Amino acid sequence: VTSQEQLARIAERTRIAMESAPFHIPIKNEEIKLTVSVGGIIWDGDEDMENFIVRAGDALVQAKKERNVVAIQ
């Protein structure tokens, strides 16, 4: 993945697939609906790992605040 647009498309397809698939809990014989929050970033190749991890964490926090969304920074 080399662009934010590509990352967003892949993440959104994954989020929709997870939301659409029933999740069966055998011990309760019950199905529940899952949601997924995805935060993503693109590494530019020059960024140090510490900053990369901070940006990734920030993107995930943003996605989790809104819930069941994709947040790409």
Side-chain angles (χ1 to χ4, degrees):
V1 176
T2 58
S3 73
Q4 288 182 329
E5 293 79 20
Q6 286 177 317
L7 180 57
R9 281 194 305 272
I10 292 166
E12 184 64 14
R13 282 196 314 258
T14 302
R15 187 195 67 74
I16 290 169
M18 292 293 295
E19 184 179 45
S20 301
F23 185 79
H24 185 71
I25 302 173
I27 198 162
K28 291 187 173 184
N29 196 29
E30 181 179 308
E31 285 188 357
I32 62 171
K33 188 173 184 176
L34 298 178
T35 62
V36 177
S37 298
V38 179
I41 61 170
I42 298 291
W43 184 54
D44 66 9
D46 294 322
E47 182 176 23
D48 66 74
M49 188 56 66
E50 185 174 328
N51 192 54
F52 177 78
I53 291 169
V54 168
R55 287 193 317 117
D58 290 346
L60 181 56
V61 168
Q62 179 185 349
K64 289 177 79 171
K65 281 182 183 176
E66 297 180 45
R67 300 190 76 163
N68 199 31
V69 298
V70 170
I72 306 299
Q73 295 184 356

Short mmCIF file of all heavy atoms in Angstrom, two decimals:
data_model
loop_
_atom_site.label_atom_id
_atom_site.label_comp_id
_atom_site.label_asym_id
_atom_site.label_seq_id
_atom_site.Cartn_x
_atom_site.Cartn_y
_atom_site.Cartn_z
N VAL A 1 0.86 -1.17 0.00
CA VAL A 1 0.00 0.00 0.00
C VAL A 1 0.90 1.23 0.00
O VAL A 1 1.77 1.36 0.85
CB VAL A 1 -0.92 0.02 1.24
CG1 VAL A 1 -1.74 1.27 1.28
CG2 VAL A 1 -1.80 -1.20 1.28
N THR A 2 0.68 2.10 -0.96
CA THR A 2 1.57 3.25 -1.09
C THR A 2 0.86 4.61 -0.98
O THR A 2 1.52 5.63 -1.06
CB THR A 2 2.31 3.20 -2.43
OG1 THR A 2 1.36 3.17 -3.49
CG2 THR A 2 3.21 1.97 -2.51
N SER A 3 -0.44 4.60 -0.81
CA SER A 3 -1.14 5.88 -0.70
C SER A 3 -2.24 5.79 0.36
O SER A 3 -2.73 4.71 0.68
CB SER A 3 -1.76 6.29 -2.04
OG SER A 3 -2.90 5.50 -2.32
N GLN A 4 -2.61 6.96 0.87
CA GLN A 4 -3.70 7.01 1.84
C GLN A 4 -5.00 6.51 1.23
O GLN A 4 -5.79 5.87 1.91
CB GLN A 4 -3.87 8.42 2.36
CG GLN A 4 -2.76 8.88 3.28
CD GLN A 4 -2.99 10.27 3.82
OE1 GLN A 4 -3.59 11.11 3.17
NE2 GLN A 4 -2.51 10.51 5.03
N GLU A 5 -5.20 6.79 -0.05
CA GLU A 5 -6.43 6.35 -0.72
C GLU A 5 -6.50 4.83 -0.78
O GLU A 5 -7.56 4.24 -0.51
CB GLU A 5 -6.53 6.94 -2.12
CG GLU A 5 -6.72 8.45 -2.15
CD GLU A 5 -5.42 9.24 -1.91
OE1 GLU A 5 -4.31 8.67 -2.09
OE2 GLU A 5 -5.51 10.41 -1.52
N GLN A 6 -5.39 4.18 -1.13
CA GLN A 6 -5.37 2.71 -1.17
C GLN A 6 -5.63 2.14 0.22
O GLN A 6 -6.41 1.20 0.37
CB GLN A 6 -4.02 2.20 -1.66
CG GLN A 6 -3.76 2.37 -3.12
CD GLN A 6 -2.35 1.89 -3.48
OE1 GLN A 6 -1.39 2.18 -2.77
NE2 GLN A 6 -2.25 1.16 -4.57
N LEU A 7 -4.94 2.69 1.21
CA LEU A 7 -5.11 2.22 2.58
C LEU A 7 -6.55 2.38 3.04
O LEU A 7 -7.12 1.47 3.64
CB LEU A 7 -4.15 2.97 3.51
CG LEU A 7 -4.19 2.60 4.98
CD1 LEU A 7 -3.93 1.11 5.19
CD2 LEU A 7 -3.18 3.43 5.75
N ALA A 8 -7.15 3.52 2.73
CA ALA A 8 -8.53 3.77 3.13
C ALA A 8 -9.49 2.77 2.48
O ALA A 8 -10.41 2.27 3.13
CB ALA A 8 -8.93 5.20 2.79
N ARG A 9 -9.28 2.47 1.19
CA ARG A 9 -10.15 1.51 0.49
C ARG A 9 -10.04 0.12 1.11
O ARG A 9 -11.05 -0.55 1.36
CB ARG A 9 -9.81 1.46 -0.99
CG ARG A 9 -10.40 2.60 -1.80
CD ARG A 9 -10.33 2.34 -3.30
NE ARG A 9 -9.00 2.04 -3.78
CZ ARG A 9 -8.10 2.94 -4.18
NH1 ARG A 9 -8.40 4.22 -4.15
NH2 ARG A 9 -6.91 2.57 -4.60
N ILE A 10 -8.82 -0.33 1.37
CA ILE A 10 -8.62 -1.65 1.96
C ILE A 10 -9.22 -1.72 3.36
O ILE A 10 -9.92 -2.68 3.71
CB ILE A 10 -7.12 -2.00 2.00
CG1 ILE A 10 -6.59 -2.19 0.58
CG2 ILE A 10 -6.86 -3.24 2.85
CD1 ILE A 10 -5.07 -2.21 0.48
N ALA A 11 -8.97 -0.70 4.16
CA ALA A 11 -9.49 -0.67 5.53
C ALA A 11 -11.01 -0.63 5.54
O ALA A 11 -11.65 -1.31 6.35
CB ALA A 11 -8.90 0.52 6.28
N GLU A 12 -11.59 0.15 4.66
CA GLU A 12 -13.06 0.25 4.62
C GLU A 12 -13.69 -1.07 4.16
O GLU A 12 -14.71 -1.49 4.71
CB GLU A 12 -13.49 1.40 3.70
CG GLU A 12 -14.98 1.64 3.67
CD GLU A 12 -15.59 2.09 4.99
OE1 GLU A 12 -14.86 2.49 5.92
OE2 GLU A 12 -16.83 2.03 5.10
N ARG A 13 -13.09 -1.72 3.18
CA ARG A 13 -13.60 -3.04 2.75
C ARG A 13 -13.54 -4.04 3.91
O ARG A 13 -14.46 -4.83 4.12
CB ARG A 13 -12.82 -3.57 1.55
CG ARG A 13 -13.20 -2.94 0.25
CD ARG A 13 -12.71 -3.73 -0.95
NE ARG A 13 -11.34 -4.16 -0.85
CZ ARG A 13 -10.29 -3.60 -1.47
NH1 ARG A 13 -10.48 -2.55 -2.25
NH2 ARG A 13 -9.08 -4.08 -1.34
N THR A 14 -12.46 -4.00 4.66
CA THR A 14 -12.30 -4.89 5.81
C THR A 14 -13.34 -4.57 6.87
O THR A 14 -13.98 -5.48 7.42
CB THR A 14 -10.89 -4.76 6.40
OG1 THR A 14 -9.93 -5.06 5.39
CG2 THR A 14 -10.70 -5.67 7.59
N ARG A 15 -13.54 -3.30 7.16
CA ARG A 15 -14.52 -2.89 8.16
C ARG A 15 -15.92 -3.35 7.78
O ARG A 15 -16.65 -3.93 8.58
CB ARG A 15 -14.50 -1.36 8.33
CG ARG A 15 -15.38 -0.87 9.48
CD ARG A 15 -15.63 0.62 9.39
NE ARG A 15 -16.45 0.98 8.23
CZ ARG A 15 -17.76 0.77 8.13
NH1 ARG A 15 -18.43 0.19 9.11
NH2 ARG A 15 -18.41 1.13 7.05
N ILE A 16 -16.29 -3.16 6.52
CA ILE A 16 -17.62 -3.56 6.04
C ILE A 16 -17.77 -5.08 6.09
O ILE A 16 -18.83 -5.59 6.49
CB ILE A 16 -17.87 -3.01 4.63
CG1 ILE A 16 -18.05 -1.49 4.70
CG2 ILE A 16 -19.10 -3.67 3.99
CD1 ILE A 16 -18.04 -0.81 3.35
N ALA A 17 -16.74 -5.81 5.71
CA ALA A 17 -16.79 -7.27 5.74
C ALA A 17 -16.99 -7.78 7.16
O ALA A 17 -17.81 -8.68 7.40
CB ALA A 17 -15.52 -7.87 5.14
N MET A 18 -16.29 -7.20 8.11
CA MET A 18 -16.44 -7.61 9.51
C MET A 18 -17.83 -7.28 10.03
O MET A 18 -18.45 -8.08 10.73
CB MET A 18 -15.39 -6.93 10.38
CG MET A 18 -13.98 -7.39 10.12
SD MET A 18 -13.71 -9.10 10.59
CE MET A 18 -13.93 -9.01 12.35
N GLU A 19 -18.33 -6.12 9.67
CA GLU A 19 -19.65 -5.69 10.13
C GLU A 19 -20.75 -6.57 9.52
O GLU A 19 -21.77 -6.83 10.15
CB GLU A 19 -19.86 -4.23 9.75
CG GLU A 19 -21.14 -3.64 10.24
CD GLU A 19 -21.27 -2.18 9.85
OE1 GLU A 19 -20.98 -1.83 8.69
OE2 GLU A 19 -21.66 -1.39 10.72
N SER A 20 -20.53 -7.03 8.29
CA SER A 20 -21.55 -7.79 7.57
C SER A 20 -21.60 -9.27 7.96
O SER A 20 -22.62 -9.93 7.75
CB SER A 20 -21.30 -7.70 6.06
OG SER A 20 -21.34 -6.36 5.65
N ALA A 21 -20.50 -9.78 8.48
CA ALA A 21 -20.43 -11.20 8.80
C ALA A 21 -20.93 -11.46 10.22
O ALA A 21 -20.46 -10.84 11.17
CB ALA A 21 -18.99 -11.68 8.66
N PRO A 22 -21.87 -12.38 10.37
CA PRO A 22 -22.33 -12.70 11.72
C PRO A 22 -21.22 -13.42 12.49
O PRO A 22 -20.44 -14.17 11.92
CB PRO A 22 -23.52 -13.63 11.50
CG PRO A 22 -23.34 -14.17 10.14
CD PRO A 22 -22.56 -13.16 9.36
N PHE A 23 -21.12 -13.13 13.76
CA PHE A 23 -20.13 -13.77 14.62
C PHE A 23 -20.88 -14.67 15.58
O PHE A 23 -21.68 -14.19 16.40
CB PHE A 23 -19.32 -12.70 15.36
CG PHE A 23 -18.21 -13.26 16.18
CD1 PHE A 23 -17.02 -13.65 15.58
CD2 PHE A 23 -18.34 -13.40 17.56
CE1 PHE A 23 -15.98 -14.15 16.34
CE2 PHE A 23 -17.31 -13.91 18.33
CZ PHE A 23 -16.13 -14.28 17.71
N HIS A 24 -20.63 -15.96 15.48
CA HIS A 24 -21.38 -16.94 16.26
C HIS A 24 -20.63 -17.28 17.54
O HIS A 24 -19.44 -17.58 17.52
CB HIS A 24 -21.62 -18.21 15.44
CG HIS A 24 -22.49 -19.20 16.13
ND1 HIS A 24 -23.83 -18.99 16.33
CD2 HIS A 24 -22.19 -20.39 16.69
CE1 HIS A 24 -24.33 -20.03 16.98
NE2 HIS A 24 -23.36 -20.88 17.21
N ILE A 25 -21.35 -17.23 18.66
CA ILE A 25 -20.80 -17.63 19.95
C ILE A 25 -21.41 -18.99 20.30
O ILE A 25 -22.56 -19.07 20.73
CB ILE A 25 -21.14 -16.59 21.05
CG1 ILE A 25 -20.60 -15.23 20.63
CG2 ILE A 25 -20.56 -17.03 22.39
CD1 ILE A 25 -21.01 -14.11 21.55
N PRO A 26 -20.63 -20.06 20.07
CA PRO A 26 -21.19 -21.41 20.23
C PRO A 26 -21.70 -21.71 21.64
O PRO A 26 -22.76 -22.32 21.79
CB PRO A 26 -20.01 -22.33 19.89
CG PRO A 26 -19.06 -21.49 19.13
CD PRO A 26 -19.26 -20.09 19.60
N ILE A 27 -21.00 -21.30 22.65
CA ILE A 27 -21.39 -21.64 24.01
C ILE A 27 -22.75 -21.05 24.39
O ILE A 27 -23.48 -21.60 25.20
CB ILE A 27 -20.30 -21.23 25.03
CG1 ILE A 27 -20.50 -21.96 26.33
CG2 ILE A 27 -20.26 -19.74 25.23
CD1 ILE A 27 -19.29 -21.97 27.23
N LYS A 28 -23.11 -19.95 23.75
CA LYS A 28 -24.41 -19.32 24.01
C LYS A 28 -25.39 -19.56 22.87
O LYS A 28 -26.53 -19.14 22.96
CB LYS A 28 -24.24 -17.82 24.22
CG LYS A 28 -23.53 -17.44 25.48
CD LYS A 28 -23.56 -15.94 25.65
CE LYS A 28 -22.99 -15.55 26.99
NZ LYS A 28 -23.10 -14.10 27.21
N ASN A 29 -24.91 -20.19 21.80
CA ASN A 29 -25.72 -20.39 20.61
C ASN A 29 -26.36 -19.06 20.18
O ASN A 29 -27.56 -18.95 20.00
CB ASN A 29 -26.76 -21.47 20.80
CG ASN A 29 -27.32 -21.93 19.47
OD1 ASN A 29 -26.61 -21.87 18.46
ND2 ASN A 29 -28.56 -22.38 19.45
N GLU A 30 -25.51 -18.08 20.06
CA GLU A 30 -25.96 -16.72 19.80
C GLU A 30 -25.06 -16.08 18.74
O GLU A 30 -23.89 -16.40 18.63
CB GLU A 30 -25.84 -15.95 21.12
CG GLU A 30 -26.28 -14.54 21.11
CD GLU A 30 -26.12 -13.92 22.51
OE1 GLU A 30 -26.62 -14.51 23.49
OE2 GLU A 30 -25.48 -12.87 22.60
N GLU A 31 -25.65 -15.19 17.95
CA GLU A 31 -24.86 -14.42 17.00
C GLU A 31 -24.86 -12.96 17.43
O GLU A 31 -25.87 -12.43 17.87
CB GLU A 31 -25.44 -14.53 15.59
CG GLU A 31 -25.16 -15.86 14.94
CD GLU A 31 -25.55 -15.91 13.48
OE1 GLU A 31 -26.10 -14.92 12.96
OE2 GLU A 31 -25.31 -16.96 12.86
N ILE A 32 -23.68 -12.35 17.28
CA ILE A 32 -23.57 -10.94 17.61
C ILE A 32 -23.00 -10.22 16.39
O ILE A 32 -22.40 -10.83 15.51
CB ILE A 32 -22.69 -10.68 18.85
CG1 ILE A 32 -21.26 -11.17 18.61
CG2 ILE A 32 -23.30 -11.31 20.08
CD1 ILE A 32 -20.28 -10.77 19.68
N LYS A 33 -23.19 -8.92 16.37
CA LYS A 33 -22.66 -8.10 15.29
C LYS A 33 -21.38 -7.44 15.77
O LYS A 33 -21.34 -6.87 16.86
CB LYS A 33 -23.69 -7.04 14.89
CG LYS A 33 -23.32 -6.28 13.66
CD LYS A 33 -24.47 -5.37 13.24
CE LYS A 33 -24.13 -4.67 11.95
NZ LYS A 33 -25.24 -3.88 11.46
N LEU A 34 -20.34 -7.55 14.97
CA LEU A 34 -19.07 -6.93 15.30
C LEU A 34 -18.92 -5.61 14.56
O LEU A 34 -19.43 -5.45 13.46
CB LEU A 34 -17.90 -7.84 14.89
CG LEU A 34 -17.80 -9.20 15.55
CD1 LEU A 34 -16.61 -9.96 14.99
CD2 LEU A 34 -17.67 -9.06 17.05
N THR A 35 -18.22 -4.71 15.18
CA THR A 35 -17.83 -3.48 14.51
C THR A 35 -16.32 -3.35 14.62
O THR A 35 -15.70 -3.93 15.52
CB THR A 35 -18.51 -2.23 15.12
OG1 THR A 35 -18.11 -2.10 16.48
CG2 THR A 35 -20.01 -2.32 15.00
N VAL A 36 -15.73 -2.61 13.71
CA VAL A 36 -14.28 -2.46 13.66
C VAL A 36 -13.94 -0.99 13.46
O VAL A 36 -14.50 -0.34 12.57
CB VAL A 36 -13.67 -3.29 12.51
CG1 VAL A 36 -12.18 -3.07 12.41
CG2 VAL A 36 -13.99 -4.76 12.69
N SER A 37 -13.04 -0.51 14.27
CA SER A 37 -12.48 0.83 14.09
C SER A 37 -11.05 0.66 13.62
O SER A 37 -10.27 -0.06 14.23
CB SER A 37 -12.51 1.61 15.40
OG SER A 37 -13.84 1.77 15.85
N VAL A 38 -10.70 1.32 12.52
CA VAL A 38 -9.37 1.17 11.93
C VAL A 38 -8.69 2.53 11.86
O VAL A 38 -9.25 3.48 11.33
CB VAL A 38 -9.45 0.58 10.50
CG1 VAL A 38 -8.06 0.44 9.90
CG2 VAL A 38 -10.17 -0.75 10.51
N GLY A 39 -7.49 2.60 12.40
CA GLY A 39 -6.66 3.78 12.27
C GLY A 39 -5.43 3.41 11.46
O GLY A 39 -4.80 2.39 11.72
N GLY A 40 -5.11 4.19 10.46
CA GLY A 40 -3.98 3.84 9.61
C GLY A 40 -3.17 5.05 9.18
O GLY A 40 -3.68 6.17 9.13
N ILE A 41 -1.93 4.80 8.88
CA ILE A 41 -1.02 5.83 8.37
C ILE A 41 -0.13 5.20 7.30
O ILE A 41 -0.02 3.99 7.20
CB ILE A 41 -0.16 6.45 9.49
CG1 ILE A 41 0.72 5.39 10.14
CG2 ILE A 41 -1.02 7.15 10.51
CD1 ILE A 41 1.76 5.95 11.08
N ILE A 42 0.50 6.05 6.54
CA ILE A 42 1.49 5.61 5.54
C ILE A 42 2.86 6.08 6.01
O ILE A 42 3.03 7.26 6.37
CB ILE A 42 1.19 6.21 4.15
CG1 ILE A 42 -0.18 5.75 3.65
CG2 ILE A 42 2.29 5.89 3.15
CD1 ILE A 42 -0.25 4.28 3.29
N TRP A 43 3.82 5.18 6.03
CA TRP A 43 5.19 5.53 6.40
C TRP A 43 5.87 6.13 5.19
O TRP A 43 5.82 5.57 4.09
CB TRP A 43 5.93 4.28 6.88
CG TRP A 43 7.31 4.54 7.37
CD1 TRP A 43 7.68 5.44 8.33
CD2 TRP A 43 8.51 3.90 6.93
NE1 TRP A 43 9.02 5.39 8.53
CE2 TRP A 43 9.58 4.45 7.68
CE3 TRP A 43 8.79 2.91 6.00
CZ2 TRP A 43 10.89 4.05 7.52
CZ3 TRP A 43 10.10 2.51 5.85
CH2 TRP A 43 11.13 3.07 6.59
N ASP A 44 6.52 7.26 5.37
CA ASP A 44 7.15 7.94 4.24
C ASP A 44 8.57 7.44 3.94
O ASP A 44 9.20 7.88 2.99
CB ASP A 44 7.16 9.45 4.45
CG ASP A 44 8.04 9.89 5.62
OD1 ASP A 44 8.78 9.06 6.18
OD2 ASP A 44 7.97 11.08 5.97
N GLY A 45 9.08 6.54 4.74
CA GLY A 45 10.41 5.98 4.51
C GLY A 45 11.51 6.70 5.26
O GLY A 45 12.59 6.15 5.44
N ASP A 46 11.27 7.93 5.67
CA ASP A 46 12.28 8.71 6.38
C ASP A 46 11.94 8.93 7.85
O ASP A 46 12.79 9.31 8.64
CB ASP A 46 12.47 10.08 5.71
CG ASP A 46 13.06 9.95 4.32
OD1 ASP A 46 13.94 9.10 4.12
OD2 ASP A 46 12.63 10.71 3.43
N GLU A 47 10.72 8.71 8.20
CA GLU A 47 10.24 8.98 9.55
C GLU A 47 10.84 7.99 10.55
O GLU A 47 10.95 6.80 10.27
CB GLU A 47 8.71 8.85 9.53
CG GLU A 47 8.02 9.13 10.81
CD GLU A 47 6.52 9.05 10.65
OE1 GLU A 47 6.03 8.40 9.72
OE2 GLU A 47 5.84 9.67 11.47
N ASP A 48 11.21 8.50 11.74
CA ASP A 48 11.73 7.58 12.75
C ASP A 48 10.58 6.74 13.33
O ASP A 48 9.42 7.14 13.29
CB ASP A 48 12.48 8.33 13.86
CG ASP A 48 11.60 9.23 14.69
OD1 ASP A 48 10.83 8.71 15.52
OD2 ASP A 48 11.68 10.46 14.50
N MET A 49 10.92 5.59 13.84
CA MET A 49 9.93 4.62 14.30
C MET A 49 9.06 5.17 15.44
O MET A 49 7.86 4.92 15.49
CB MET A 49 10.61 3.33 14.73
CG MET A 49 9.66 2.20 15.02
SD MET A 49 8.52 1.77 13.68
CE MET A 49 9.64 1.16 12.45
N GLU A 50 9.64 5.93 16.33
CA GLU A 50 8.87 6.47 17.46
C GLU A 50 7.75 7.37 16.98
O GLU A 50 6.61 7.26 17.42
CB GLU A 50 9.79 7.23 18.41
CG GLU A 50 9.08 7.71 19.66
CD GLU A 50 10.03 8.35 20.66
OE1 GLU A 50 11.20 7.94 20.73
OE2 GLU A 50 9.57 9.27 21.36
N ASN A 51 8.05 8.27 16.05
CA ASN A 51 7.03 9.17 15.52
C ASN A 51 5.98 8.39 14.73
O ASN A 51 4.78 8.69 14.80
CB ASN A 51 7.67 10.25 14.64
CG ASN A 51 6.69 11.35 14.30
OD1 ASN A 51 6.10 11.94 15.19
ND2 ASN A 51 6.51 11.62 13.02
N PHE A 52 6.42 7.39 13.98
CA PHE A 52 5.52 6.53 13.22
C PHE A 52 4.49 5.87 14.15
O PHE A 52 3.29 5.87 13.88
CB PHE A 52 6.33 5.48 12.46
CG PHE A 52 5.51 4.48 11.70
CD1 PHE A 52 4.94 4.81 10.49
CD2 PHE A 52 5.31 3.21 12.21
CE1 PHE A 52 4.19 3.88 9.78
CE2 PHE A 52 4.56 2.28 11.51
CZ PHE A 52 4.01 2.62 10.30
N ILE A 53 4.98 5.33 15.26
CA ILE A 53 4.10 4.65 16.21
C ILE A 53 3.14 5.65 16.85
O ILE A 53 1.95 5.34 17.04
CB ILE A 53 4.92 3.89 17.27
CG1 ILE A 53 5.63 2.70 16.59
CG2 ILE A 53 4.06 3.42 18.42
CD1 ILE A 53 6.67 2.02 17.44
N VAL A 54 3.60 6.83 17.18
CA VAL A 54 2.73 7.85 17.76
C VAL A 54 1.63 8.22 16.77
O VAL A 54 0.45 8.30 17.14
CB VAL A 54 3.54 9.10 18.18
CG1 VAL A 54 2.63 10.27 18.50
CG2 VAL A 54 4.44 8.77 19.37
N ARG A 55 1.99 8.44 15.52
CA ARG A 55 0.96 8.79 14.51
C ARG A 55 -0.05 7.67 14.32
O ARG A 55 -1.24 7.92 14.19
CB ARG A 55 1.62 9.13 13.17
CG ARG A 55 2.31 10.45 13.15
CD ARG A 55 2.70 10.95 11.76
NE ARG A 55 3.26 9.97 10.87
CZ ARG A 55 2.69 9.58 9.71
NH1 ARG A 55 1.55 10.09 9.31
NH2 ARG A 55 3.28 8.68 8.95
N ALA A 56 0.44 6.42 14.32
CA ALA A 56 -0.47 5.28 14.17
C ALA A 56 -1.44 5.21 15.36
O ALA A 56 -2.64 4.98 15.18
CB ALA A 56 0.32 3.98 14.06
N GLY A 57 -0.91 5.43 16.55
CA GLY A 57 -1.77 5.44 17.75
C GLY A 57 -2.80 6.55 17.69
O GLY A 57 -3.96 6.35 18.06
N ASP A 58 -2.38 7.73 17.22
CA ASP A 58 -3.32 8.85 17.10
C ASP A 58 -4.44 8.53 16.11
O ASP A 58 -5.61 8.86 16.36
CB ASP A 58 -2.59 10.11 16.63
CG ASP A 58 -1.67 10.70 17.70
OD1 ASP A 58 -1.78 10.30 18.88
OD2 ASP A 58 -0.84 11.55 17.33
N ALA A 59 -4.10 7.88 15.01
CA ALA A 59 -5.12 7.52 14.02
C ALA A 59 -6.11 6.51 14.61
O ALA A 59 -7.32 6.62 14.40
CB ALA A 59 -4.47 6.95 12.76
N LEU A 60 -5.61 5.56 15.38
CA LEU A 60 -6.49 4.57 15.99
C LEU A 60 -7.40 5.22 17.04
O LEU A 60 -8.60 4.93 17.09
CB LEU A 60 -5.68 3.44 16.63
CG LEU A 60 -6.50 2.34 17.30
CD1 LEU A 60 -7.49 1.71 16.32
CD2 LEU A 60 -5.57 1.28 17.86
N VAL A 61 -6.85 6.12 17.84
CA VAL A 61 -7.66 6.83 18.84
C VAL A 61 -8.77 7.61 18.15
O VAL A 61 -9.93 7.60 18.59
CB VAL A 61 -6.78 7.75 19.71
CG1 VAL A 61 -7.63 8.71 20.54
CG2 VAL A 61 -5.89 6.92 20.62
N GLN A 62 -8.44 8.28 17.06
CA GLN A 62 -9.45 9.03 16.31
C GLN A 62 -10.57 8.10 15.83
O GLN A 62 -11.75 8.40 15.98
CB GLN A 62 -8.81 9.73 15.11
CG GLN A 62 -9.81 10.50 14.27
CD GLN A 62 -9.16 11.09 13.02
OE1 GLN A 62 -7.94 11.10 12.88
NE2 GLN A 62 -9.99 11.56 12.11
N ALA A 63 -10.20 6.95 15.29
CA ALA A 63 -11.20 5.99 14.79
C ALA A 63 -12.06 5.46 15.94
O ALA A 63 -13.27 5.32 15.80
CB ALA A 63 -10.52 4.85 14.05
N LYS A 64 -11.46 5.16 17.06
CA LYS A 64 -12.20 4.60 18.18
C LYS A 64 -13.15 5.62 18.81
O LYS A 64 -14.19 5.24 19.33
CB LYS A 64 -11.23 4.05 19.22
CG LYS A 64 -10.52 2.78 18.74
CD LYS A 64 -9.52 2.29 19.73
CE LYS A 64 -10.25 1.55 20.81
NZ LYS A 64 -9.35 0.83 21.73
N LYS A 65 -12.81 6.89 18.74
CA LYS A 65 -13.70 7.93 19.27
C LYS A 65 -15.01 7.95 18.49
O LYS A 65 -16.08 8.16 19.05
CB LYS A 65 -13.04 9.30 19.19
CG LYS A 65 -12.06 9.57 20.28
CD LYS A 65 -11.48 10.97 20.14
CE LYS A 65 -10.42 11.22 21.20
NZ LYS A 65 -9.78 12.53 21.04
N GLU A 66 -14.93 7.78 17.19
CA GLU A 66 -16.13 7.81 16.35
C GLU A 66 -16.81 6.45 16.28
O GLU A 66 -17.97 6.37 15.96
CB GLU A 66 -15.76 8.31 14.96
CG GLU A 66 -15.24 9.73 14.97
CD GLU A 66 -14.89 10.22 13.59
OE1 GLU A 66 -15.68 9.99 12.66
OE2 GLU A 66 -13.81 10.81 13.43
N ARG A 67 -16.07 5.40 16.50
CA ARG A 67 -16.51 4.00 16.50
C ARG A 67 -17.00 3.54 15.13
O ARG A 67 -17.76 4.21 14.46
CB ARG A 67 -17.61 3.78 17.54
CG ARG A 67 -17.12 4.11 18.94
CD ARG A 67 -18.09 3.67 19.93
NE ARG A 67 -17.97 2.22 20.06
CZ ARG A 67 -18.46 1.52 21.05
NH1 ARG A 67 -19.10 2.12 21.99
NH2 ARG A 67 -18.31 0.22 21.09
N ASN A 68 -16.50 2.37 14.77
CA ASN A 68 -16.89 1.70 13.54
C ASN A 68 -16.59 2.56 12.30
O ASN A 68 -17.42 2.66 11.38
CB ASN A 68 -18.36 1.29 13.57
CG ASN A 68 -18.66 0.22 12.55
OD1 ASN A 68 -17.82 -0.61 12.21
ND2 ASN A 68 -19.87 0.25 12.03
N VAL A 69 -15.43 3.16 12.29
CA VAL A 69 -15.02 3.99 11.15
C VAL A 69 -13.56 3.71 10.80
O VAL A 69 -12.84 3.06 11.55
CB VAL A 69 -15.17 5.51 11.44
CG1 VAL A 69 -16.60 5.90 11.70
CG2 VAL A 69 -14.29 5.95 12.57
N VAL A 70 -13.15 4.24 9.67
CA VAL A 70 -11.76 4.20 9.24
C VAL A 70 -11.22 5.62 9.35
O VAL A 70 -11.83 6.56 8.84
CB VAL A 70 -11.65 3.70 7.78
CG1 VAL A 70 -10.26 3.88 7.24
CG2 VAL A 70 -12.08 2.24 7.70
N ALA A 71 -10.09 5.77 10.03
CA ALA A 71 -9.43 7.08 10.15
C ALA A 71 -8.00 6.94 9.62
O ALA A 71 -7.18 6.26 10.21
CB ALA A 71 -9.42 7.54 11.59
N ILE A 72 -7.74 7.57 8.49
CA ILE A 72 -6.42 7.53 7.87
C ILE A 72 -5.80 8.92 8.00
O ILE A 72 -6.43 9.91 7.67
CB ILE A 72 -6.51 7.14 6.38
CG1 ILE A 72 -7.27 5.82 6.21
CG2 ILE A 72 -5.13 7.07 5.75
CD1 ILE A 72 -6.65 4.63 6.88
N GLN A 73 -4.57 8.94 8.47
CA GLN A 73 -3.87 10.22 8.61
C GLN A 73 -2.67 10.26 7.70
O GLN A 73 -2.11 9.28 7.36
CB GLN A 73 -3.40 10.42 10.05
CG GLN A 73 -4.54 10.55 11.02
CD GLN A 73 -4.06 10.85 12.43
OE1 GLN A 73 -2.88 10.88 12.72
NE2 GLN A 73 -5.01 11.05 13.32
#
